[in-house]
Amino acid sequence: MSENGGLVGSIVETVKTIVYALLIAGIFRTVFFQPFWIPSGSMKDTLLIGDFLFVNKMAYGYSYASCPSIKIERFGIDVDAEDLCGWMQSGDGRFLGGTPERGDVIVFRHPVTGADYIKRLIGLPGDTVQVKEGLLYLNGKQVQVAADDTFSETYEPQGPEGNLPRCANGPVGPGGDCEKLRFLETLPSSVEGEPDVTHGILKITDRGYANNTPAFTVPEGKYFFMGDNRDNSTDSRFQQTAGGVGFVDYKDLIGRADRIMFSSGGRSMLYFWTWRSDRYFKAVE
């Protein structure tokens, strides 16, 4: 074999290896787990900006939303999950579908924009959900809540987007302690015989629309989500016509967040001194 022939053969084998690796990675991402970075503070302190996790796509079966969206603006590539797997939206839109449980932390596609969101499942089909004076009511009954400690963080730009946190302790200067009140909320289990779900929530105020909503009755085939950082979350309390999430279709669920794999508190993952090793492999509760 000539030298040129050997070089061409080597290039071909390299290209084949790359193609196979991409195919395997694509199948793994589509069928089993999807990586997800936490970009905002709407789920503090359950999830912090810079937490990295894998979303379990097997938890609720598969829908068009299980397919990846491929967006590379630099090369003008914008392929949506609907473009690849829109054919799966017939019927209830799921294959091997599983039932989400109240209290699950779930990644889903925004019903209008198609962007990935992560929130906690509060209301199941048929449930009535309302917030009054900052307290959550489920099917007419106040959900159990107990005061916990104070959540404190530095008032500084957070994550790649450089968002500043909101504080309950009034105006805070750069580098100051930004505090929020933390409570433990207990959601009644949606599975008979299973324990109730207790999780942390953060509060800044009891005023405003987010703390005094109408009563929402969740339609069949849809779900109601809220962020744990209750006063800093755009979720199902805000209807789609107002730029919110509204009710989320069963077919738009991507998967359940089970465990944090890695966490970085800096503007870039390369800032190794901001890595939060105490959050590695932490269960999402």
Side-chain angles (χ1 to χ4, degrees):
M1 181 181 293
S2 68
E3 183 177 338
N4 287 340
L7 179 60
V8 171
S10 177
I11 293 174
V12 169
E13 288 302 315
T14 300
V15 170
K16 287 170 60 177
T17 300
I18 293 173
V19 170
Y20 291 152
L22 290 174
L23 286 173
I24 293 171
I27 293 171
F28 182 86
R29 186 182 187 280
T30 301
V31 178
F32 300 109
F33 298 97
Q34 174 177 318
F36 191 83
W37 283 97
I38 303 301
S40 73
S42 68
M43 282 295 293
K44 291 178 182 176
D45 64 340
T46 303
L47 298 171
L48 302 181
I49 295 175
D51 282 349
F52 174 77
L53 47 85
F54 282 104
V55 179
N56 181 0
K57 290 190 172 184
M58 298 176 285
Y60 313 125
Y62 306 95
S63 74
Y64 85 98
S66 303
C67 289
S69 295
I70 305 172
K71 297 183 181 181
I72 308 176
E73 295 182 2
R74 182 178 179 182
F75 298 104
I77 298 174
D78 187 359
V79 181
D80 190 77
E82 285 190 325
D83 299 326
L84 296 173
C85 299
W87 54 273
M88 296 180 66
Q89 297 194 58
S90 60
D92 68 3
R94 297 203 83 85
F95 173 67
L96 299 176
T99 303
E101 297 180 14
R102 188 182 293 116
D104 285 356
V105 176
I106 297 175
V107 173
F108 58 88
R109 277 175 58 94
H110 188 283
V112 176
T113 68
D116 290 348
Y117 274 53
I118 184 166
K119 307 289 181 185
R120 189 177 298 274
L121 177 56
I122 301 295
L124 302 174
D127 282 345
T128 298
V129 182
Q130 186 174 17
V131 182
K132 295 188 289 187
E133 297 182 353
L135 297 173
L136 175 63
Y137 287 76
L138 192 60
N139 297 322
K141 297 182 179 179
Q142 181 187 322
V143 170
Q144 179 183 336
V145 64
D148 197 45
D149 53 7
T150 299
F151 175 79
S152 182
E153 58 187 339
T154 303
Y155 187 77
E156 62 183 2
Q158 298 179 344
E161 297 180 4
N163 296 324
L164 291 169
R166 292 181 60 196
C167 314
N169 54 329
V172 175
D177 291 332
C178 177
E179 298 179 350
K180 300 174 185 62
L181 301 178
R182 187 176 190 271
F183 296 85
L184 294 177
E185 183 179 81
T186 301
L187 298 172
S189 173
S190 56
V191 180
E192 186 175 354
E194 292 292 320
D196 294 340
V197 180
T198 299
H199 63 98
I201 62 171
L202 301 183
K203 292 293 300 173
I204 299 172
T205 178
D206 291 333
R207 294 174 291 182
Y209 171 82
N211 289 290
N212 293 279
T213 72
F216 300 100
T217 299
V218 186
E220 188 65 30
K222 296 182 182 291
Y223 297 89
F224 191 99
F225 289 89
M226 292 174 66
D228 290 347
N229 192 359
R230 289 291 163 81
D231 299 309
N232 195 33
S233 174
T234 301
D235 48 41
S236 293
R237 289 172 291 180
F238 303 89
Q239 295 303 290
Q240 296 164 17
T241 53
V245 172
F247 300 119
V248 177
D249 286 332
Y250 182 46
K251 64 182 176 61
D252 287 330
L253 306 185
I254 295 175
R256 185 181 63 218
D258 291 333
R259 192 170 296 275
I260 299 165
M261 305 304 294
F262 175 79
S263 184
S264 173
R267 300 294 300 275
S268 167
M269 187 181 68
L270 299 178
Y271 296 175
F272 64 87
W273 57 92
T274 66
W275 294 356
R276 299 181 287 227
S277 59
D278 59 317
R279 298 185 65 79
Y280 296 177
F281 308 112
K282 182 179 180 180
V284 177
E285 298 177 344

